[in-house]
Amino acid sequence: MYKNLFYGLVGLSLIFGLSSCGDKPKSGRTDTYSSGSIKFAADESFHPIIDEEIDVFHSIYTKAHVTPIYTNEIDAVNLLHNDSICLAIVSRDFTKEEYENYHQRGYSPRAIKLAKDGLAFIINNQNTDSCISVKNIKRILNGEAKDWSDVVPGSKRGRIVVCFDNKQSSAVHFCVDSLLGGKPINSPNIMAAETSKEVIQYVRETPNAIGIIGSNWLNDPRDTTNITFYKDTRVMRVSKMDNATPENSYQPYQAYIYTGSYPVVRTIYALLNDPRNGLPWGFAHFIESYKGQLIIKQSGILPIIMDTYLINVKVNQG
């Protein structure tokens, strides 16, 4: 199930037999802004929130049907570039080179910011070393820190095993670009699962592991205040300071993402290339609308376009 992780800049394109997004009669597309059927791609780490958006969208627009292709970020963007789909939901904007390529082909791509998600670092419930600094996260990823004692003096937990959701996922992309400054992940103790759910299961079973996933996988939907994470793993507190303590470290709650206290945050984008302004646009605009943003707010991640208020709540942290 798990395999050695490497980070490649180019992913193999997936072939799904989808109709082209080019604005040509032979494409066969009949969808409109609020009706018809389309497929779109999304990074698998956003699975929970995207499913919620789809359910509400379908209940409002009964003549529309959108089908997600949950894959890794590289293949999602490649599907968009190859005109196999018109919408990809990922954790990055188009690059300058990508914009230029689209414009040269006569297209006008658009990137829409949808939300901010804290990248979560989860550990086994047996592990009480629950504070970590950004500096030590970098040291683990670049191979400098291989054992728990390298980041927590005196720890007896042995080597650190880091598990990502996918070797080409947005989490990997973020760590390489934003934490390591574009340098590759060099730790020999890095593993890749296939999904975020498998990362959680791996951490449950592995006392010395750190799992890296989107925080939207962790919130307990039974708690509408979004201050409860599932109890079968620990969510690490992360600090901007070199010496992480409970006082200067934070978990990926909405409030700490909003104030900038939580230091490992990524932006979720809808990347669009749809000359027809059809259903891909309709669904993306629904997510950025008030109703779509309210779904994001209730999921535990931070909406981009909503008034946000901070309320002091006492949290008993384990």
Side-chain angles (χ1 to χ4, degrees):
M1 181 186 299
Y2 304 100
K3 40 194 173 288
N4 290 332
L5 176 65
F6 64 91
Y7 181 76
L9 294 178
V10 180
L12 295 177
S13 299
L14 302 178
I15 300 175
F16 286 89
L18 309 178
S19 53
S20 169
C21 285
D23 192 21
K24 301 176 181 179
K26 67 179 181 180
S27 71
R29 286 182 60 193
T30 59
D31 60 281
T32 70
Y33 189 84
S34 59
S35 68
S37 299
I38 57 105
K39 293 184 179 181
F40 70 95
D43 188 282
E44 185 276 335
S45 66
F46 307 135
H47 197 309
I49 182 61
I50 297 300
D51 277 357
E52 291 184 40
E53 296 282 359
I54 290 172
D55 287 344
V56 177
F57 181 77
H58 284 166
S59 71
I60 297 172
Y61 301 100
T62 57
K63 295 183 179 180
H65 187 76
V66 296
T67 301
I69 302 166
Y70 290 117
T71 183
N72 61 72
E73 183 170 90
I74 290 178
D75 284 331
V77 172
N78 281 341
L79 284 170
L80 186 67
H81 291 345
N82 294 337
D83 298 333
S84 296
I85 57 171
C86 302
L87 168 64
I89 299 177
V90 294
S91 67
R92 71 169 181 88
D93 196 346
F94 292 107
T95 66
K96 179 181 178 181
E97 292 74 19
E98 288 167 346
Y99 272 117
E100 291 175 351
N101 179 269
Y102 279 112
H103 292 150
Q104 288 171 0
R105 292 190 286 151
Y107 294 129
S108 299
R110 173 83 183 277
I112 301 174
K113 293 181 180 180
L114 301 176
K116 288 186 179 292
D117 179 32
L119 202 61
F121 300 81
I122 61 173
I123 55 177
N124 187 277
N125 268 335
Q126 298 178 32
N127 192 343
T128 57
D129 300 325
S130 58
C131 292
I132 193 167
S133 66
V134 172
K135 178 181 179 180
N136 277 332
I137 292 172
K138 294 177 182 179
R139 292 178 63 232
I140 292 169
L141 295 176
N142 67 24
E144 180 183 344
K146 299 179 177 64
D147 296 322
W148 277 99
S149 59
D150 294 330
V151 297
V152 182
S155 175
K156 306 296 183 183
R157 299 193 183 280
R159 71 173 183 143
I160 301 170
V161 180
V162 178
C163 187
F164 283 96
D165 50 344
N166 187 286
K167 65 184 180 182
Q168 295 178 328
S169 72
S170 58
V172 173
H173 185 191
F174 180 91
C175 287
V176 169
D177 284 359
S178 299
L179 296 182
L180 299 181
K183 297 179 181 179
I185 296 172
N186 284 329
S187 172
N189 301 331
I190 304 289
M191 308 296 291
E194 294 295 335
T195 65
S196 299
K197 185 178 294 186
E198 289 183 7
V199 174
I200 296 171
Q201 185 60 37
Y202 182 79
V203 171
R204 287 173 183 160
E205 299 169 352
T206 312
N208 60 328
I210 298 177
I212 302 180
I213 58 175
S215 62
N216 68 104
W217 280 90
L218 302 175
N219 292 289
D220 189 335
R222 295 168 297 182
D223 180 9
T224 58
T225 64
N226 292 321
I227 60 171
T228 302
F229 294 130
Y230 280 115
K231 301 300 185 182
D232 52 0
T233 58
R234 290 178 182 268
V235 180
M236 300 191 80
R237 301 180 184 90
V238 182
S239 177
K240 299 176 182 178
M241 308 300 291
D242 289 350
N243 181 30
T245 67
E247 292 73 28
N248 66 21
S249 303
Y250 300 88
Q251 292 175 306
Y253 292 116
Q254 283 176 326
Y256 297 146
I257 294 173
Y258 176 74
T259 61
S261 300
Y262 190 75
V264 191
V265 177
R266 57 186 179 170
T267 302
I268 302 174
Y269 290 85
L271 302 186
L272 283 150
N273 182 39
D274 182 14
R276 299 183 73 253
N277 291 334
L279 191 53
W281 276 94
F283 182 57
H285 284 164
F286 169 77
I287 300 176
E288 72 166 342
S289 72
Y290 178 82
K291 288 183 178 178
Q293 292 286 289
L294 184 60
I295 294 168
I296 288 173
K297 178 178 179 293
Q298 293 172 339
S299 75
I301 61 179
L302 187 69
I304 288 289
I305 310 171
M306 280 194 78
D307 292 332
T308 303
Y309 304 94
L310 298 182
I311 301 175
N312 290 326
V313 178
K314 184 178 180 180
V315 181
N316 294 322
Q317 298 181 346

